[in-house]
Every structure is written in C-alpha cells, then in structure tokens.
Amino acid sequence: MSELHLPNRIRQLAVEHPDRAAVSSGGTTLTYSEFDALTNRVASALATVPATSERIGALLRMGLPGASSFVGCAKAGLVFTPLNWRLNPGEIADIADDAQLDALIVEDEFATSARAAAAVLPDAQIVVVGDASTVPGARSWEDFVASGDGIDPGFGDDAGTELLQLYTSGTTGRPKGVVATHHNLFNEPQNFALYEFTEDSVSLDALPLFHIAGAGWMSTSLSAGLHLVLLGEMRPNLVAAAISEHGITHAFLVPSVINMLVEMPDLSDYDLSTLRLVAYGASPITPTQLARAMDTLGCRFVQRYGMTETMGALTALRADDHDPHGSRSYLLRSAGSPLPGVEVEIRDIATGEPLPDGQTGEIVCRSRNNTSGYWRRDAENAALFTADGFLRTGDAGHIDSDGYLFVTDRVKDMIISGGENVYPIEVESVLSEHPAVAEVAVVGVPDDRWGEAVTAVVRVAPGASRPTEDELLQFTVERLASYKKPRHIHFVDELPRNASGKILKRTLRNEFAPVQEGTTP
C-alpha cells in the first residue's frame, strides 16, 4: 500500500499504538484499539444496508457517532454524506433526494428534517442517535451498531474509491454534491510538519462535519495519530473550556470564532497555556484581527486556503510567515504559498490566459486533491475545469514575485463602481484597523450614478462608542483611492453567516440595496 488512507491508518494505529487515546467526545474517550473496534462494528452494520447509491447521509454534530460513521463508511466502501443540519427541512429533503441516500443517521434534535428526508426517500434506513421514536420506522443508533458483527469489511486500499460527498453551502444556487476519493483526502506525512504535530499533540475539532474543514481536520488529526477532541458546537466559551480541560495543543478555528474568542471578557479565567498552534481558514481575516489574536493567544498560527472542491488546502501561510510586527508583516494579507504537489496560476477572467506576477485574475489550481466533479452535474462539471485540467476556484487574486498568493475576493463579489474594479477585502482591511470596528463586510449595491456603490456594513467592537459615518470615511482618506472609499456605511449588531462562518454578502446586498420605486423596504 503506497498510500495509507484513513481506514488503513486507523487499522495500523490500533496495532502499533492500541492504548493511545484516539477520540474524546463528551465524557467518553476511546483508545485507537477501541475506536478501531467500534468503527469495525459500525462498518459491518452499514454493509448490511441495501445499497443503491452507496451514500450514507448524516445529520450529526461533531461527535463520536459522526466520527465512527465517517471511518465506518470508509471501511465499508461507502460514501459518507454529511448534511448541513442548519438548513430547513425542505432543503434537507432536497439534498437527501439529490444524493439518493441509502441511509440517514440523525440526532433526534434534527428529527423534523429526518422525517422530511424520509418522505422523499421511503426506502432509506433511518437511524436515530437518541430517541428513535421521533422518526417513525427508525432504528436506534445503539441497536443499529449492535447489529454489526464487528468484522472489518476491509475496504480502503483503492485510492480511487469514493469516500466523501460534501454539499456546497448553496449561497449562490442549489447545493451541489462534491465527491472525494481516498486519494483526494490522503494526508501526506510530510504535510504534518506544517502543523508542527508531535506525539503528544491533542487536537480540537469543533467544526461542522458537513464542512471540508471539519471532515478534513478530523481526517488529518486521526491520520497523524493524534488524540482528537470533538466538540459539537464552536461557541467561543466552549472552545476555551475544551482547551483548558483537555490540554488542547492544536485547533482549527474559523476567523469569526477567533475574533469572538479574543473578545471574551472572561478569557483570562481559562487556562490556554497548552495551546501551541491554531490553524485557520474557511473565510477571510484581516491583518489587524490576526495580529490581535496572535498577541492575545500567544501561540503560533497557520493559515490554510482552499475550498470544498479542492478537498482542503491549496496554499498555506506557514507559522514562520506570521510576523505581525516585523518587516514581513505584509504577508498576513496573503494566503501563503502552494503546498507540495499543488499548481496555482492566475488566469485572465475574460480570456482564460495566464497572467504574470502581480496582476489580478481568477485563481486556478491543479493537484491530486481536486475533486473529479460534482455528483450528477454534467453541466457544472464542464464549467468547473479549464481545458488543460485546472480547477476554477471562482476567487480573484494575484501572486507576488516571491510566490505568495494574495486572495482579493470572490470574482462574483468584485464591485465595479464608476468603471473601476474594487475588491472588498482591500476596503475591509483598512476599515478594520479603526479601533471601534470589530468586523466589517463590504459589498456593492446598485447605484444609478456609479453602477455599484461601495457599501460597508460594520459591527462595532464591544465597549467602543459607535463612530460616525464621516469619522470612518475620514479614516480611509489616506489609505484608499477615492473610488474605493465607501459611499454608504451601515451599523449592525451581527453580520449574517453561513454554517462555515462565511459572511453572507448576498444577504447584505439585498438588505441594503436602495428601495426601488413601487416597492416596500
């Protein structure tokens, strides 16, 4: 076996380190031997489910049932398909129908969504973690697991076997199922050095299972043989408590949670001294916010840039590149450099031609991590790749002369104001330097004169007095070209986000668009 894929790595660790702590969730900790045995039983139970699509759905928070289902599917040669439990029941039913799930494992708090899925997939087996009576005809998780004979089905050697299907967030249309194979998700041991793992590392995963960061960080941590602590909610106080209780050394956090963690008034009540490194990604963070987090948490940071279609990271801003107060502090605005085996180029958005260093265009990439395509979406697959096999990310950016990638924004989020291109992240970075600004999102809204008007939506920092619109505009005078300055500034208590923490800019554009004549606000 040239590649030790996730199921084979669990099997190996169970033999070589049987008594090492593998997974903790709630008050339960399993060793690698115990986790291997549990996932064998789950896999053998899953193997008895009549298979049509070979897809096993999950409406589960990050926890032991989710982890054992993921690895169990891998051992059984099935495709783990976690669904976004934050969606409404109708949306869940649509995705379950699209995936043609053979089974759905669901926590009882999501029973309404499970019933909606069962209505469109009457032949699917429903398994409930908790009270099985909440879903008619369902089996309990305990009964289902006990039905397995515990014999490992033995899958995991074939690199081309499909392993995971994640659905895009759906912020720009109907969610699409992104398919990953063992080869796409394989964790090369040399990449573990990026996170500075050691044998005593304790990793925290509080990200949603249905997001590549959550499923990917789980796969990475287990493949590295770490003790992995699972947390069902990424609330800042719960994250701080988990770090303190379990001696967490490594965590993957989204920027919004990093910001809220740093803002916690009682942060000093928690012992965070064991924390060595925070990996972050999934949404942008400004250099000001990042520098503050580094100073407050006192640990090393690594940024990962990627997306669901690339099954995780394309580039990384390594820990040694994080120097907020030194001569290379400008790198905090970058997404780092490509990981081994990853090709990244910048192409002209209109012509598709490669662009030289320093010029902005669409980021495209080619690597073994790239998905082969969306589940049953031929038209979208044709648009996803270039003729020479590069995946179109939909992000705009440039590469500097040292090979560092700077992501300016989503191509679709670029604002054209008065004929000039404005990339929101540049405006956001400037406004975030104001001490009264905790978070800011910049969008373009329709404007009769300018085509689109640069519009900033601001969340004020806790305890700070709300600045006036003119004060913030004056703050940008020497930092931004005139055409980039916001023409409107709005203040909100919360910025709308999707499940992965990304700000929903489409929602902001709709909310703050000028009211057209004959409509109501």
Side-chain angles (χ1 to χ4, degrees):
M1 294 178 292
S2 59
E3 293 182 0
L4 273 181
H5 304 135
L6 178 61
N8 285 334
R9 184 65 174 137
I10 297 299
R11 293 165 180 139
Q12 180 189 55
L13 288 162
V15 173
E16 296 181 356
H17 302 286
D19 298 325
R20 178 185 292 178
V23 179
S24 292
S25 180
T28 301
T29 296
L30 299 182
T31 64
Y32 272 98
S33 177
E34 292 168 334
F35 186 61
D36 182 53
L38 172 62
T39 53
N40 284 346
R41 189 162 289 280
V42 172
S44 59
L46 288 169
T48 67
V49 175
T52 302
S53 70
E54 299 186 333
R55 275 147 176 79
I56 306 298
L59 279 170
L60 300 168
R61 293 184 183 273
M62 183 62 74
L64 192 54
S68 57
S69 296
F70 183 16
V71 176
C73 280
K75 287 184 171 184
L78 300 171
V79 182
F80 185 57
T81 309
L83 309 183
N84 182 350
W85 38 261
R86 293 181 177 176
L87 299 176
N88 66 47
E91 292 170 315
I92 292 290
D94 284 345
I95 294 174
D97 185 45
D98 181 80
Q100 287 295 291
L101 299 177
D102 293 327
L104 177 63
I105 305 170
V106 55
E107 292 181 17
D108 57 9
E109 67 173 301
F110 309 125
T112 302
S113 291
R115 292 193 294 269
V120 298
L121 294 173
D123 295 330
Q125 172 69 68
I126 308 297
V127 178
V128 178
V129 178
D131 184 0
S133 68
T134 56
V135 183
R139 300 176 68 180
S140 72
W141 169 251
E142 291 80 7
D143 175 65
F144 179 74
V145 174
S147 72
D149 59 19
I151 299 173
D152 186 344
F155 286 86
D157 289 341
D158 182 4
T161 298
E162 294 177 352
L163 165 68
L164 183 67
Q165 184 161 310
L166 298 174
Y167 276 80
T168 57
S169 60
T171 57
T172 57
R174 189 182 181 194
K176 300 180 288 291
V178 183
V179 179
T181 65
H182 284 285
H183 187 59
N184 295 145
L185 276 181
F186 173 62
N187 289 278
E188 293 169 322
Q190 60 265 38
N191 280 343
F192 294 150
L194 173 68
Y195 306 111
E196 304 174 1
F197 291 146
T198 57
E199 283 196 359
D200 64 344
S201 294
V202 183
S203 176
L204 176 67
D205 197 345
L207 294 147
L209 263 175
F210 54 78
H211 191 277
I212 183 55
W217 188 245
M218 177 188 292
S219 178
T220 296
S221 298
L222 291 175
S223 295
L226 308 187
H227 177 194
L228 177 63
V229 177
L230 306 175
L231 194 61
E233 292 183 86
M234 192 184 269
R235 294 209 310 264
N237 62 316
L238 297 180
V239 169
I243 295 171
S244 181
E245 177 184 351
H246 295 281
I248 300 295
T249 62
H250 292 72
F252 193 113
L253 303 175
V254 296
S256 59
V257 171
I258 293 174
N259 291 334
M260 289 186 282
L261 188 66
V262 168
E263 291 174 0
M264 283 177 56
D266 59 345
L267 186 63
S268 61
D269 293 344
Y270 298 91
D271 180 7
L272 308 185
S273 61
T274 59
L275 195 60
R276 299 177 200 160
L277 185 143
V278 169
Y280 65 98
S283 60
I285 186 169
T286 66
T288 301
Q289 292 167 332
L290 183 54
R292 182 186 178 196
M294 293 178 68
D295 290 341
T296 301
L297 298 179
C299 65
R300 289 163 71 78
F301 278 67
V302 168
Q303 180 191 163
R304 302 193 331 174
Y305 163 69
M307 59 205 65
T308 307
E309 287 83 349
T310 64
M311 288 300 135
L314 297 171
T315 65
L317 186 67
R318 292 156 174 81
D320 288 341
D321 287 329
H322 285 69
D323 185 15
H325 309 296
S327 60
R328 302 172 77 231
S329 61
Y330 68 92
L331 286 179
L332 296 187
R333 300 194 302 273
S334 86
S337 53
L339 291 170
V342 178
E343 300 174 73
V344 177
E345 293 184 1
I346 306 298
R347 302 276 179 97
D348 186 279
I349 294 171
T351 68
E353 292 298 313
L355 294 174
D357 290 347
Q359 289 197 23
T360 296
E362 183 176 15
I363 302 166
V364 299
C365 63
R366 185 165 59 185
S367 82
R368 65 162 182 79
N369 303 91
N370 286 355
T371 179
S372 59
Y374 301 116
W375 166 251
R376 304 195 310 179
R377 297 291 183 90
D378 292 341
E380 286 90 339
N381 288 336
L384 183 60
F385 296 98
T386 65
D388 54 350
F390 279 76
L391 185 146
R392 296 185 174 98
T393 67
D395 284 339
H398 68 272
I399 297 174
D400 72 6
S401 58
D402 294 321
Y404 285 85
L405 174 68
F406 290 75
V407 183
T408 46
D409 234 304
R410 294 292 290 171
V411 169
K412 65 181 176 59
D413 286 337
M414 183 182 73
I415 302 166
I416 303 177
S417 184
E420 300 281 1
N421 295 345
V422 179
Y423 290 99
I425 197 168
E426 183 179 2
V427 185
E428 291 163 356
S429 294
V430 168
L431 287 172
S432 69
E433 294 178 9
H434 192 285
V437 175
E439 287 185 301
V440 57
V442 171
V443 297
V445 300
D447 185 272
D448 290 339
R449 180 178 181 184
W450 303 104
E452 287 185 293
V454 180
T455 301
V457 185
V458 173
R459 179 173 72 86
V460 177
S465 298
R466 192 171 94 172
T468 65
E469 183 173 344
D470 185 64
E471 179 184 343
L472 287 182
L473 289 174
Q474 286 300 313
F475 185 75
T476 70
V477 166
E478 296 181 358
R479 296 170 172 84
L480 288 173
S482 178
Y483 69 88
K484 298 179 182 180
K485 291 187 296 185
R487 301 190 182 277
H488 308 288
I489 296 178
H490 303 278
F491 296 92
V492 295
D493 294 329
E494 296 277 346
L495 291 169
R497 300 179 185 276
N498 69 8
S500 62
K502 293 180 181 178
I503 294 171
L504 296 172
K505 291 195 170 182
R506 183 175 64 175
T507 299
L508 294 176
R509 281 191 287 267
N510 292 339
E511 181 175 352
F512 295 106
V515 178
Q516 301 297 313
E517 186 176 349
T519 67
T520 56

